[in-house]
Amino acid sequence: MLQKIKSFFEVLEADSLESKSDVLINILLLAENEGLSEIDNGKTVDELKIIQTKYCSKKGLLPDLMKYMGKVSNKDKPVLGKIIHDFKITLENKFNERLTALKNAERQAKLEAEKIDVTLPGCNSQIGHKHPLTLVEEQVKEIFTNIGFTVVEGFEIEEDYYNFERLNIPKDHPAREMQDTFYLNEDVVLRTHTSPVQARIMDMMCPQLPVKIIAPGKVFRRDDDSTHSPMFHQIEGLMVDKNITFADLKGILLHLLKSIFGEERKIRLRPSYFPFTEPSAEVDVSCGNCNQEGCRVCGYTGWIEILGSGMVHPSVLEMAGYDPNEVTGFAFGIGIERIAMLKYGIDDMRLLFDNDLRFLEQF
Ligand code: DAH
């Protein structure tokens, strides 16, 4: 078409447009139709831009036609000018209309392609569960809060004074050797047991009664083998009031150990020694593995040593400001790892701290 129009002008003599104006108008209308249908058939924004260049750019058909203006008579110049101008406007309008439509369609297609179906099932992340030590700690807390005890926390970094002296273990006392201690400096240690919480809580409470607390938490000793870890967990128990007796201690411990290990279990209290209790008792639970026939778990004795306990030493009460003639109390300390190992049949304490999912997923 472009060629046709060009050759039309090539043969056109000045002043002869009038006689040929019908032909010219027809040719231009044809060209316009051709342009419009090309635009209609443009499939993409890029294709459309090529078509636009072909007709409307500086080197396109329409500016090219203007070059021939000189060939037409002065009288016909405005007529031809208007035709070319209209041609250009029509194409440009059509072009813009089509461009908007294509852009919308392309955006819509992109949106469709990127659409997220919120009803599709998601990728489940694995849900973890509680560590066996947490399970035991939570169970013990529940047992004691059910009978009116309060759960308190002490300090993992503790003063020598509370860790030892307030528990009746002065410097150079041989009992310090029972617990190989991490010293941070001469006066500050990583607590070797949860017992210092006894002294701290009595300081806070005195002279109020009763004191009924348990205190779970981490403790630290220089020990590391299959049954010892340098960091482990204990739960301290303390009850101080008027008329507390050894029978209360035994009753509570029986309730505790039956709740953890089962109603059929028995307990046994053996005389023992702790500087902060008098009398002191080591508490054993009957072996559930062999029904007390004797097995590896209980060392063929039928009994498993489970915790230390006793009646709070009068000096310990006195240092906190209580009058040992007026009030008495009992205390005990349990190792959480030991309970977990017995309860779940774990034979190496280090498994509890390895964070191996193959192990942890079994609980
Ligand atoms: N603190 C002791 C330890 O870690 C355990 C203990 C024994 C706690 C007797 C007590 C107790 O409260 O009365 O070995």
Side-chain angles (χ1 to χ4, degrees):
M1 183 56 69
L2 178 68
Q3 217 39 54
K4 246 189 201 168
I5 296 173
K6 277 188 178 165
S7 32
F8 176 83
F9 279 100
E10 237 95 76
V11 298
L12 195 68
E13 294 296 326
D15 298 329
S16 65
L17 181 65
E18 198 169 3
S19 59
K20 300 245 169 68
S21 68
D22 286 353
V23 184
L24 176 61
I25 290 170
N26 275 336
I27 291 175
L28 285 173
L29 281 176
L30 278 177
E32 187 179 301
N33 279 338
E34 194 173 290
L36 290 176
S37 84
E38 265 189 70
I39 292 173
D40 262 338
N41 291 328
K43 296 274 181 299
T44 63
V45 172
D46 286 343
E47 263 181 57
L48 216 59
K49 284 186 175 155
I50 294 171
I51 299 165
Q52 191 198 26
T53 312
K54 183 169 148 194
Y55 283 93
C56 303
S57 76
K58 274 190 188 150
K59 288 182 201 143
L61 170 63
L62 290 167
D64 222 32
L65 286 182
M66 295 306 255
K67 285 198 302 210
Y68 298 102
M69 282 298 257
K71 287 205 157 199
V72 298
S73 70
N74 282 342
K75 192 176 123 242
D76 285 326
K77 267 185 188 138
V79 181
L80 182 63
K82 186 170 183 324
I83 292 173
I84 295 175
H85 177 73
D86 289 350
F87 185 177
K88 188 170 172 246
I89 297 289
T90 311
L91 274 195
E92 271 176 3
N93 285 345
K94 180 73 181 174
F95 172 78
N96 286 333
E97 190 185 294
R98 180 82 182 126
L99 189 66
T100 312
L102 274 182
K103 276 187 175 163
N104 283 343
E106 279 181 15
R107 189 181 320 122
Q108 196 57 36
K110 199 173 166 209
L111 282 178
E112 290 289 329
E114 287 174 359
K115 201 155 104 182
I116 298 167
D117 182 352
V118 291
T119 64
L120 280 176
C123 318
N124 276 339
S125 51
Q126 265 192 338
I127 296 177
H129 57 81
K130 288 174 182 169
H131 190 278
L133 293 178
T134 308
L135 294 173
V136 171
E137 184 180 317
E138 286 186 352
Q139 190 189 5
V140 174
K141 279 187 199 168
E142 197 187 328
I143 293 166
F144 278 100
T145 49
N146 281 347
I147 52 172
F149 281 64
T150 304
V151 179
V152 300
E153 265 182 50
F155 303 120
E156 289 171 11
I157 294 176
E158 185 54 284
E159 291 171 41
D160 180 283
Y161 173 69
Y162 280 101
N163 195 77
F164 293 120
E165 288 185 40
R166 286 292 299 275
L167 295 165
N168 223 12
I169 317 172
K171 286 208 159 66
D172 305 322
H173 191 286
R176 289 207 180 200
E177 278 165 31
M178 286 161 70
Q179 305 181 353
D180 215 343
T181 311
F182 289 110
Y183 277 88
L184 298 186
N185 64 39
E186 217 181 299
D187 303 315
V188 181
V189 301
L190 294 185
R191 69 175 175 190
T192 56
H193 51 178
T194 43
S195 301
V197 183
Q198 289 186 32
R200 287 199 174 268
I201 210 75
M202 283 193 282
D203 279 0
M204 277 173 58
M205 294 282 292
C206 187
Q208 293 171 74
L209 290 170
V211 180
K212 280 175 89 178
I213 58 103
I214 59 161
K218 290 186 170 61
V219 300
F220 308 86
R221 288 184 204 176
R222 296 187 50 187
D223 249 339
D224 200 0
D225 58 41
S226 67
T227 52
H228 296 92
S229 150
M231 186 281 299
F232 58 105
H233 299 79
Q234 289 187 334
I235 301 179
E236 194 74 14
L238 173 70
M239 178 162 184
V240 179
D241 203 353
K242 292 194 167 136
N243 303 318
I244 300 290
T245 69
F246 205 88
D248 296 312
L249 172 62
K250 186 169 179 186
I252 293 244
L253 292 178
L254 187 62
H255 171 62
L256 168 69
L257 295 172
K258 278 178 180 270
S259 304
I260 296 175
F261 293 109
E263 273 305 310
E264 69 289 357
R265 296 296 190 99
K266 292 178 279 189
I267 66 167
R268 174 174 86 169
L269 278 73
R270 278 180 294 109
S272 182
Y273 169 74
F274 298 102
F276 37 95
T277 44
E278 182 59 37
S280 303
E282 207 87 56
V283 180
D284 300 338
V285 66
S286 57
C287 183
N289 191 47
C290 61
N291 271 328
Q292 297 196 283
E293 301 280 311
C295 69
R296 262 187 49 198
V297 175
C298 59
Y300 301 94
T301 64
W303 294 98
I304 300 165
E305 187 184 317
I306 208 101
L307 58 85
S309 66
M311 299 305 290
V312 180
H313 196 289
S315 310
V316 173
L317 290 170
E318 209 162 12
M319 280 187 269
Y322 286 108
D323 179 353
N325 299 313
E326 292 275 309
V327 303
T328 49
F330 66 74
F332 59 88
I334 328 164
I336 303 183
E337 280 76 4
R338 185 149 173 74
I339 303 275
M341 288 170 77
L342 287 168
K343 189 167 164 162
Y344 299 117
I346 301 165
D347 57 6
D348 189 331
M349 188 187 284
R350 289 169 292 204
L351 287 167
L352 290 168
F353 303 116
D354 280 347
N355 280 341
D356 186 334
L357 285 181
R358 290 169 302 179
F359 169 75
L360 293 174
E361 272 164 1
Q362 298 173 45
F363 301 96

